[in-house]
Amino acid sequence: MKILIIGGGGREHALAWKCAQSGDVSEVIVAPGNAGTELESKIRNVDVAADDIDALLNLASKENIGLTIVGPEQPLVAGIVDRFIAQDLPCFGPVAAAAQLEGSKAYTKDFLLRHGIPTGAYETFTEVDLALAYVRKKGAPIVIKADGLAAGKGVIVAFGIDEAENAVRDMLSEGAFGDAGHRIVIEEFLEGEEASFIVMTDGISVLPLASSQDHKARDEGDVGPNTGGMGAYSPAPVVTPEIEQRIMDEVINPTLAGLRKDGINYLGFLYAGLMITADGTPKVIEFNCRMGDPETQPIMARMRSDLAPICLAAIAGDLSNVTAEWDSRAALGVVMAAGGYPGNYAKGKTIHGLPQQESRDSKVFHAGTAISGGDVITSGGRVLCVVGLGDTVAGASDTAYELVKSIEWDDVYYRNDIGHRAVGREQS
Ligand code: AMP
């Protein structure tokens, strides 16, 4: 069987690498891919953009693709799965109506409230004066969110009232996030420990993936600007079996049931970004309609089962008897970024020290990379995700950082404390 992976980041490298390991898979095509997917055996890049739905449909039918997995959110929100279904092409991901769970934060907050699923208190605004009055009434800390897709960067957690007011003005008057920010959600600041919980679902049955946690802030100690993610690890010790059961009972299953009630069947990866509050209540911060990046990288590094048959079982509406096996070791991924990210940064730097051989204990997943004149060069803000495996999160961290330190380019930036909460728990 041939598989098509749509996207070109670290998540897509990890999904393609995982699919290519299966004896049942003859070739994995990645559109558009990156230098990492280009260099893998059994994987081929095709220069089609992830949002060019017409060209992707042509590619899938011309190449006789048996399964397409959509990596990023934009094509999902734009309805790529609806188009593939209309042409009878097997595609793992939610239809546009279901992808609204990520496409509009206002829709999602209303949905959560309507179906009694725990989340922070909020209001939605389009008028700057009303939004400012609400911020002043509620006080800081408070969270300001652009309604639409903003590449993971449209959220300001404001610890002071001035910062909150500036965020409101930036989004509503200055158009800081373009159309995505013409409507904003202002939300209660939730305290607790964050966890990502990602499942595969056919709309009724649910297969939870190994738990994970990411670090969104750019700098050590989880401070600095919000990014797409600076590192992640799996498992996340905060998700104990009891908490997992609460997440399933109070968030995942009610969400799928609520969608069905609204006439929507959700097929695909469903990612719940959660705040686990002091009493163990999982409150929804956000939903994503696809795998997380960088969570995918450590999760795929731990997945022992083949991924493609699980996707196909879900497409057949037959996920109820499927289980997945996991490497008992922990995996931890460190994002190596271009200096300056998420602001301005340079591209085109030659990367030195990439490992030449595969290892059982580590894997370098590429994100913003390209090949130029035989060299691997940087082509984006998040450049690599270096994953290490170990018997503990601390052990996985040691392996990952040893490899990180052997890779370099001019102006590389990474955090040295990925996994610090989990390592702290292991040591206590
Ligand atoms: P989001 O894009 O909605 O996941 O938000 C990005 C990050 O902002 C989250 O991972 C949290 O760290 C933080 N965040 C978002 N909403 C809240 C909230 N209501 N309370 C506290 N932190 C939040």
Side-chain angles (χ1 to χ4, degrees), residues 45-62:
N45 286 354
V46 173
D47 190 16
V48 173
D51 58 0
D52 189 346
I53 297 181
D54 290 332
L56 291 165
L57 276 170
N58 279 339
L59 178 66
S61 30
K62 193 183 84 196

Side-chain angles (χ1 to χ4, degrees), residues 385-423:
C385 179
V386 177
V387 175
L389 289 130
D391 290 335
T392 57
V393 176
S397 164
D398 289 345
T399 309
Y401 277 108
E402 194 179 323
L403 187 50
V404 163
K405 292 195 172 94
S406 67
I407 300 171
E408 57 181 11
W409 67 87
D410 182 22
D411 216 14
V412 57
Y413 175 83
Y414 55 88
R415 281 178 57 166
N416 276 297
D417 67 344
I418 299 304
H420 64 88
R421 282 200 196 83
V423 171

Side-chain angles (χ1 to χ4, degrees), residues 105 120 143 145 152 155 157 187-191 194 214 216 226 275 285-286:
K105 292 195 190 286
V143 185
K145 300 185 173 185
V155 174
V157 180
E187 192 178 288
E188 168 195 4
F189 175 78
L190 297 171
E191 285 186 77
E194 274 188 79
D214 77 338
K216 286 232 164 56
N226 210 10
M275 189 69 82
I285 294 178
E286 63 163 350

